Amino acid sequence: MCGIVAYVGPKDAAPILLEGLARLEHRGYDSAGLVVSNKGLKMRKVKGRVGDLAAVVPARFKGTLGIGHTRWATHGAPSDANAHPHLSTDERVAVVHNGVIENADELRAKLEADGAVFVSETDTEVLAHLIARTVEESDSLEEAVRTALKRIVGTYGIAVIDARRPGEVVVARNGSPIVLGIGEKEMFAASDVAALVRYTRQVVHLEDGELAVLRADGFTTFGGDARETAKEPLTVDWEAGHYDTGGYEHYLLKEISEQPETVARTLRGRLDDRFHIAHLGGLNMDARESRSFRRVKIIGCGSAYYSGQIGAQLIEELARIPADAEPASEFRYRSPVVEPDTLYVAISQSGETYDTLAAVQELKRKGGRVLGIVNTVGSAIARECDGGVYLHAGPEVSVASTKAFTSTAVAFALLALHLGRVRDLSPADGRRICEGLRRLPRQIEEILALEPQIKELADKYADAASMMFVGRVRGYPVAREGAQKLKEISYVHAEAYPASELKHGPLALIGPETPTVAIVPDDELLDKNLTTLGEIRARGGRVLMVGHRTADPKLADDCVVVPRNEIELDPILLTIPLQLLAYHAAVALGRDVDKPRNLAKSVTVE
């Protein structure tokens, strides 16, 4: 959940590190720091944002090798002392680290007994002292790092430099991503390709347990057994311009506005007009294999989990296969029964979400067939899975997911269509869904044109201390995602419930001070949804209805009317107004929209 950048080459490292950290600030932004090597190690670090760090780095901060870090706190509150990098007592070794060292307290006690002096509360400082004590007895920094890591229990993505070895950086990963960037007589490393694309598009992803030594003229990778491994570089499609705001006030608004294009990219080349089926070559399954599954289990975290609930509904409706979604963080700890005739689908925008990655690894260990739906080519989950679907939504910088969420729901529609057509979904229904999918980009544009109206509604409801979101069946995961968006970027407390569950408890919370956002598609449950609105209004509750028709003023105070698609695909469109509602509520309340408090973009710790 933090950001790492490393550089070795002929140029001054500090500007490159600062630029890379700025690109990674969505991964962590409570403190930042960097260190360069030039006749010893020179370090600057601060509590605060990367801009605060840049302000304290002198113009002449020379060094052609260095490492940098932007932090999301796990051990120790944000402070100058707890910011990375961390140095050994002799200031010879510097380390930056993502992840959690679970046996840090035990190691710290032993090191302190041996005379090590700690200056921070972090688990990471343990690594700096361990490596420093090992490096004197080792033939190389690589060997010292490997020896120290054998004593570590937990997850890590690290970059290490040694003042006496000014020509090399050692990086390693176990559960937290590290990507190498190959330049022209220079090398880079980072926790995300966002930090690299300005300088190179040739990258190498480290696997768990791998270690790499970077020098200006190249790199060498090693497996856990210390043997060299062969790595083929990939060319990433994303460019530096993809990480700019593009004239929008916030990345979040830019990414919401990009959804007509990103949905079109997710669909491109995947719809077959002859057989009315979805072509998903990345599944690595023929029709017979696709027909062999009797159940689908979807796992993800946060918004990915809610998109999985939409996906489960689509698969059950179109393919008539029992399907459900579950938080990956719970799935991996409840000793799940892994059935041979169940298809498992793992969702992650970054492809590095640790809880989801660990669940995939557990499934693979037990022989499960796992597909991945991810946005990042070459990511850990994409590599671990048997096959899957890339979203092609482009980089998502804002912490709150919008375009990746929508593209994931579209990918599930494609998967459901594919599974349905190799089973019992008729050609006529296949054609109907294909045509509905093709209408989505234009209809999203129509919804985005409602932004002025939705902004007015956001201003109206932003002063609520708490809000309720309700929906039935297809509308329930939409309500859950809407509540998630509002709470994570505006800090307004929001709860989501199935509309049918209100009278079983939550109705006690309804009153004039607690508005309700009701998801009311024009489907077979319309009358039941309208009855729920009547129950809320009878108790003095304010109602904002999002649906396909204008509401009776007796049932709703306000409404947002969205275009209709096929009833199975309507949840995708009903999500868009809730994104805009949350965004404008956050702006009205003066929140840091792209970097909400306590959160980070890619959750690579438990």
Side-chain angles (χ1 to χ4, degrees):
M1 296 178 72
C2 309
I4 286 176
V5 186
Y7 174 78
V8 56
K11 302 170 186 171
D12 276 340
I16 294 170
L17 298 177
L18 288 169
E19 164 70 20
L21 292 178
R23 298 286 186 184
L24 297 185
E25 198 166 21
H26 58 294
R27 283 178 164 262
Y29 34 87
D30 58 41
S31 57
L34 59 81
V35 61
V36 298
S37 179
N38 184 359
K39 299 178 181 178
L41 301 183
K42 299 189 294 183
M43 183 170 69
R44 294 290 187 278
K45 56 182 186 175
V46 297
K47 173 186 175 182
R49 302 290 178 87
V50 174
D52 300 316
L53 174 64
V56 301
V57 174
R60 295 183 61 79
F61 197 70
K62 300 297 183 182
T64 57
L65 174 148
I67 55 178
H69 191 269
T70 181
R71 182 174 183 250
W72 184 87
T74 53
H75 287 68
S79 68
D80 290 357
N82 288 334
H84 298 214
H86 290 288
L87 302 180
S88 56
T89 302
D90 60 6
E91 298 188 352
R92 173 180 171 179
V93 172
V95 178
V96 293
H97 164 234
N98 295 347
V100 174
I101 299 173
E102 296 173 10
N103 61 336
D105 290 344
E106 174 190 341
L107 292 171
R108 186 185 188 109
K110 291 178 180 178
L111 287 163
E112 286 178 329
D114 289 340
V117 177
F118 283 77
V119 297
S120 79
E121 303 168 86
T122 68
D123 54 342
T124 301
E125 194 179 352
V126 164
L127 266 174
H129 293 296
L130 279 178
I131 295 168
R133 285 166 181 259
T134 307
V135 75
E136 293 289 354
E137 306 163 5
S138 305
D139 295 328
S140 64
L141 180 59
E142 165 214 331
E143 182 182 335
V145 171
R146 183 180 294 108
T147 301
L149 290 176
K150 289 177 181 178
R151 299 181 62 184
I152 295 298
V153 176
T155 59
Y156 55 79
I158 62 169
V160 186
I161 60 175
D162 179 349
R164 298 186 194 177
R165 293 176 171 85
E168 65 184 32
V169 180
V170 174
V171 297
R173 78 161 279 170
N174 180 46
S176 194
I178 292 291
V179 186
L180 313 183
I182 305 169
E184 186 67 33
K185 297 183 180 178
E186 58 186 356
M187 285 292 302
F188 309 82
S191 50
D192 190 299
V193 295
L196 307 177
V197 291
R198 180 174 178 179
Y199 305 101
T200 179
R201 294 172 64 188
Q202 295 294 301
V203 303
V204 167
H205 293 265
L206 290 191
E207 305 284 350
D208 277 351
E210 283 192 316
L211 177 149
V213 179
L214 280 60
R215 301 179 182 87
D217 59 356
F219 69 97
T220 308
T221 57
F222 302 88
D225 57 2
R227 296 182 181 179
E228 287 191 26
T229 54
K231 309 291 288 188
E232 287 294 325
L234 298 174
T235 301
V236 296
D237 293 332
W238 299 348
E239 300 177 355
H242 290 146
Y243 295 91
D244 296 331
T245 58
Y248 289 89
E249 185 176 356
H250 298 101
Y251 282 106
L252 185 59
L253 184 58
K254 176 195 177 191
E255 288 158 9
I256 291 171
S257 302
E258 287 176 339
Q259 288 175 112
E261 176 188 348
T262 56
V263 165
R265 282 207 302 268
T266 302
L267 293 171
R268 190 166 297 142
R270 288 171 164 167
L271 293 176
D272 182 313
D273 286 325
R274 181 182 178 188
F275 296 108
H276 312 299
I277 193 172
H279 283 308
L280 299 170
L283 300 184
N284 299 327
M285 295 190 302
D286 60 23
R288 180 172 297 179
E289 289 177 290
S290 296
R291 287 182 57 87
S292 68
F293 297 107
R294 301 184 64 183
R295 184 178 301 277
V296 177
K297 185 77 174 181
I298 301 165
I299 56 174
C301 296
S303 290
Y305 163 49
Y306 302 141
S307 70
Q309 288 190 306
I310 293 176
Q313 180 75 27
L314 282 161
I315 289 168
E316 286 207 343
E317 287 193 293
L318 297 180
R320 305 307 298 156
I321 308 172
D324 69 306
E326 180 178 349
S329 52
E330 294 293 305
F331 178 83
R332 59 181 289 236
Y333 281 119
R334 64 171 181 81
S335 189
V337 176
V338 178
E339 301 168 307
D341 56 358
T342 296
L343 176 64
Y344 297 89
V345 184
I347 322 162
S348 170
Q349 186 277 137
S350 67
E352 301 287 351
T353 307
Y354 184 72
D355 281 319
T356 308
L357 175 60
V360 170
Q361 291 169 338
E362 177 70 2
L363 283 167
K364 296 289 290 179
R365 187 182 68 81
K366 292 182 174 181
R369 180 66 177 263
V370 190
L371 300 181
I373 295 181
V374 299
N375 194 35
T376 306
V377 176
S379 56
I381 292 172
R383 298 195 305 274
E384 286 277 358
C385 289
D386 299 292
V389 181
Y390 281 121
L391 301 179
H392 302 303
E396 191 175 65
V397 176
S398 186
V399 168
S401 180
T402 51
K403 64 179 183 178
F405 176 90
T406 309
S407 286
T408 300
V410 171
F412 270 117
L414 291 168
L415 178 60
L417 174 62
H418 173 83
L419 294 174
R421 287 292 291 124
V422 298
R423 290 170 177 260
D424 301 319
L425 188 70
S426 70
D429 277 331
R431 181 188 301 111
R432 178 175 63 82
I433 296 301
C434 286
E435 291 173 354
L437 286 167
R438 287 197 174 95
R439 291 199 299 272
L440 286 174
R442 174 178 52 79
Q443 291 179 314
I444 293 173
E445 288 179 352
E446 294 176 27
I447 297 171
L448 294 175
L450 301 176
E451 184 181 356
Q453 175 199 350
I454 296 171
K455 179 183 182 302
E456 288 185 12
L457 293 171
D459 293 342
K460 176 179 177 179
Y461 287 96
D463 62 349
S466 182
M467 292 185 71
M468 194 76 74
F469 286 70
V470 298
R472 284 177 183 262
V473 188
R474 301 179 193 92
Y476 177 48
V478 175
R480 297 193 77 179
E481 171 61 10
Q484 171 95 341
K485 282 292 155 287
L486 187 68
K487 73 181 81 172
E488 68 184 338
I489 63 172
S490 76
Y491 317 149
V492 173
H493 176 255
E495 295 287 346
Y497 283 92
S500 56
E501 282 292 301
L502 274 188
K503 54 185 172 292
H504 296 291
L507 201 58
L509 299 174
I510 295 297
E513 71 285 352
T514 306
T516 297
V517 177
I519 312 304
V520 187
D522 202 353
D523 60 13
E524 72 278 10
L525 297 172
L526 176 62
D527 290 340
K528 294 186 180 297
N529 275 316
L530 295 179
T531 298
T532 299
L533 300 191
E535 293 172 352
I536 296 168
R537 294 286 282 165
R539 288 153 180 85
R542 293 185 289 162
V543 174
L544 167 57
M545 191 185 91
V546 179
H548 296 134
R549 60 171 70 182
T550 303
D552 185 329
K554 295 178 182 178
L555 297 179
D557 298 86
D558 299 287
C559 63
V560 176
V561 179
V562 303
R564 298 182 189 184
N565 200 293
E566 304 304 319
I567 58 172
E568 299 93 341
L569 302 177
D570 280 333
I572 298 169
L573 296 173
L574 291 165
T575 301
I576 310 298
L578 305 186
Q579 296 173 349
L580 288 168
L581 183 73
Y583 170 76
H584 284 291
V587 171
L589 293 168
R591 309 306 190 205
D592 191 341
V593 174
D594 288 326
K595 302 180 181 71
R597 68 187 183 196
N598 304 333
L599 301 177
K601 182 62 177 175
S602 181
V603 184
T604 56
V605 297
E606 291 191 73

